[in-house]
Amino acid sequence: MSALRINVVLFGIGNVGSTLINQVVESQKFFLEKKNIDLRFPIITNSTLAFFEKDGVKNQWEANFAQSAIPFRIEDIIEYTKELQLENLIAVDATASDELVKNYIPLVQNGFDIVAANKKANTLHTEFYKELRRNLKKYDKTFLYETNVGAGLPVVQTINDLHFSGEKITKIRGVFSGSLSYIFNRFSKEDLPFSKILADAEKLGLTEPDSREDLSGNDVARKLLILAREIENQFEFSDVQISSLLLPNLNEKNSKAEYAVNRQLFDKPFQIAKITQADNHVLRYVGEFDVAEKKLEAKLISAPQSSALGQLKGADNLIEIYTESYGEIPIVIQGAGAGKQVTARGVLTDILKIAEKIKVREAVWFN
C-alpha cells in the first residue's frame, strides 16, 4: 500500500519552525517505514514571505527559501493548494502572530487541520474560541495544541482525557513557565542577586525577547486559561488574577533601555521575600485554578522545600492535577517546559496524531 502523503504548510521558521523541519527531514525514512506516512512541506513561510515547493522542502531548504521566497497572503496559499490539488493538509502555526490566528477559520473551511504552538487562538475572547470549534466540527477537522502548555509535556491531552472520561477535576496548580522556574530554582539555592539570575536566563534564551513578558505573569495566566477552558469553563483572560513580579517603578511603562539599566531594583524586594519565608521554604511562581471556587490565579508562593514544587530543578515545568478519584494525591506531570527541540517534537507528535486520523478516515472511505 502506498504511503499516505501529508502536506504540512508551515507558518513560522524561527527556532521552533526550523527545528521542526530538520526533525522531519531527519526522520522521514523512519515515518515511512514505521507509519507508512510521507510528511512533506510544500509551503513554508516567515511573517512576510512564502516559499512554494510542491514536492516538499529538502535538506537545503534555508538556501532555497532565501533565494525563492515571495510575498504572500493566506488567500494565495489556499489557492495554491487547490491548484495543485494537495490533499491531507495541515497548517502548522509556529509563530506568535495575532494576525495568523484570524485565518484559522478560513483555513479550516478550505480543508486544513491545524496544529499550533501559538497560544493566541486559545486565549482570545470566548466567542472566537467557540466559533473556531463550531467550524472544526462542521468541516470535520482537528485542532491540536499540546505545546501551548508545557512544551512537549502531555498536559492538555491528560486534562482533556480525564475530563471527558467523566473524572471531576478539582484543582490544577503548577509551575508553567520554564523561565520563571529556572529563575526561582536558582534564586532559592544560590546566594546571588535576582537581577544576575534574570540576566543569565535571558542569555540562555529561556525568557521572551523582552523578559518583562515573563515577569508580568501574563504567560502563566494564558496557560492557566487554556487548561480551564479545556475542561469547559468559559473564562476570559481578564478573569485571571495576576500578581505581576514587575515593580511599581520598573514595569511595562519603562523603555527597554531603562528596564535594562535598572534591573538591580529587583534585588532588594526579592531578597526580602526570600529571607522572610518560613524555614525550609522556597519561592515559586505558580498558576492555580480552584475549580469549585472558579478562581484563577498567577502568583508567587512560598512552598515547602520537601514538596514536589519545592524540589524543582533547572527550567522544568511541574503541573499538579487534583481530581475527585485521586483525592489528596495529585497526578503530577513534570519535565522540560521550554526549548526549541522539545517544543518542535511536541508539534511533530500532534502532526502525526492528525496523520493517523486521516489514515483512518481514508480507510473508511476506501471500504
Side-chain angles (χ1 to χ4, degrees), residues 25 28 58 99 114 122 139 149 182 211 240 249 251 288 335:
V25 170
Q28 211 138 20
K58 305 286 188 295
E99 282 309 302
I114 297 178
N122 287 321
Y139 293 93
V149 181
Y182 171 86
S211 60
V240 188
N249 53 350
N251 54 41
E288 187 173 316

Side-chain angles (χ1 to χ4, degrees), residues 10-21 45-46 61 94-95 340:
L10 174 63
F11 296 93
I13 48 172
N15 282 340
V16 173
S18 54
T19 305
L20 173 68
I21 297 176
T45 86
N46 62 17
W61 69 268
T95 73
K340 60 183 183 180

Side-chain angles (χ1 to χ4, degrees), residues 37-173:
I37 287 170
D38 181 14
L39 287 181
R40 302 287 184 94
F41 292 92
I43 307 169
I44 57 174
T45 86
N46 62 17
S47 54
T48 54
L49 303 173
F51 173 55
F52 297 85
E53 172 55 81
K54 67 175 189 290
D55 290 325
V57 297
K58 305 286 188 295
N59 275 325
Q60 67 283 13
W61 69 268
E62 283 154 298
N64 292 339
F65 187 93
Q67 283 165 12
S68 311
I70 53 171
F72 76 98
R73 295 168 312 141
I74 293 291
E75 296 77 11
D76 303 328
I77 284 174
I78 291 169
E79 207 173 294
Y80 182 81
T81 59
K82 285 187 171 160
E83 252 170 49
L84 289 180
Q85 296 180 325
L86 295 177
E87 294 181 311
N88 309 328
L89 293 159
I90 302 177
V92 171
D93 182 358
T95 73
S97 160
D98 294 308
E99 282 309 302
L100 183 56
V101 168
K102 295 172 190 167
N103 290 293
Y104 282 13
I105 292 171
L107 285 166
V108 167
Q109 291 168 342
N110 284 282
F112 285 81
D113 291 287
I114 297 178
V115 171
N118 187 349
K119 298 188 245 330
K120 302 279 168 66
N122 287 321
T123 55
L124 286 175
H125 51 86
T126 321
E127 265 322 300
F128 174 81
Y129 188 88
K130 288 179 182 167
E131 184 60 23
L132 174 56
R133 279 152 180 83
R134 273 195 290 271
N135 277 278
L136 289 161
K137 201 172 175 185
K138 181 179 174 182
Y139 293 93
D140 192 22
K141 292 296 165 194
T142 304
F143 172 36
L144 295 183
Y145 41 89
E146 186 60 78
T147 55
N148 275 197
V149 181
L153 298 174
V155 180
V156 174
Q157 183 71 55
T158 304
I159 282 173
N160 196 290
D161 288 348
L162 285 165
H163 178 68
F164 287 102
S165 68
E167 179 59 273
K168 193 161 186 259
I169 293 172
T170 55
K171 186 160 82 169
I172 299 167
R173 182 176 79 148

Side-chain angles (χ1 to χ4, degrees), residues 50 61 98 115 122 131 159 174 184 190 204 223 283 300 351:
W61 69 268
D98 294 308
V115 171
N122 287 321
E131 184 60 23
I159 282 173
F184 285 108
E190 299 175 35
L204 288 167
K223 290 169 181 173
L283 297 171
L300 188 65
I351 291 169

Side-chain angles (χ1 to χ4, degrees), residues 104-299:
Y104 282 13
I105 292 171
L107 285 166
V108 167
Q109 291 168 342
N110 284 282
F112 285 81
D113 291 287
I114 297 178
V115 171
N118 187 349
K119 298 188 245 330
K120 302 279 168 66
N122 287 321
T123 55
L124 286 175
H125 51 86
T126 321
E127 265 322 300
F128 174 81
Y129 188 88
K130 288 179 182 167
E131 184 60 23
L132 174 56
R133 279 152 180 83
R134 273 195 290 271
N135 277 278
L136 289 161
K137 201 172 175 185
K138 181 179 174 182
Y139 293 93
D140 192 22
K141 292 296 165 194
T142 304
F143 172 36
L144 295 183
Y145 41 89
E146 186 60 78
T147 55
N148 275 197
V149 181
L153 298 174
V155 180
V156 174
Q157 183 71 55
T158 304
I159 282 173
N160 196 290
D161 288 348
L162 285 165
H163 178 68
F164 287 102
S165 68
E167 179 59 273
K168 193 161 186 259
I169 293 172
T170 55
K171 186 160 82 169
I172 299 167
R173 182 176 79 148
V175 169
F176 293 97
S177 162
S179 54
L180 296 180
S181 178
Y182 171 86
I183 289 166
F184 285 108
N185 295 345
R186 278 193 63 192
F187 187 62
S188 299
K189 285 199 183 76
E190 299 175 35
D191 194 16
L192 282 172
F194 185 88
S195 57
K196 162 78 176 95
I197 296 169
L198 173 62
D200 289 349
E202 289 173 342
K203 278 192 200 98
L204 288 167
L206 291 171
T207 66
E208 296 293 329
D210 183 340
S211 60
R212 283 176 290 187
E213 184 56 32
D214 303 83
L215 296 174
S216 69
N218 290 342
D219 181 54
V220 171
R222 277 192 201 99
K223 290 169 181 173
L224 197 61
L225 176 64
I226 289 165
L227 297 182
R229 286 177 167 182
E230 209 55 30
I231 56 174
E232 300 184 283
N233 288 275
Q234 294 188 23
F235 291 112
E236 300 293 351
F237 183 70
S238 55
D239 294 322
V240 188
Q241 295 171 28
I242 306 170
S243 302
S244 172
L245 296 171
L246 296 167
L247 306 173
N249 53 350
L250 193 61
N251 54 41
E252 293 102 331
K253 294 191 180 91
N254 297 89
S255 70
K256 219 169 173 181
E258 285 171 323
Y259 172 66
V261 171
N262 293 311
R263 300 295 180 79
Q264 73 288 353
L265 290 174
F266 285 127
D267 296 343
K268 194 175 173 186
F270 282 110
Q271 192 59 29
I272 290 168
K274 182 177 172 174
I275 59 179
T276 53
Q277 295 179 97
D279 285 350
N280 302 316
H281 275 59
V282 289
L283 297 171
R284 296 289 182 258
Y285 195 87
V286 301
E288 187 173 316
F289 173 34
D290 184 319
V291 181
E293 300 273 325
K294 295 223 171 285
K295 196 174 183 185
L296 293 155
E297 296 176 283
K299 60 188 177 182

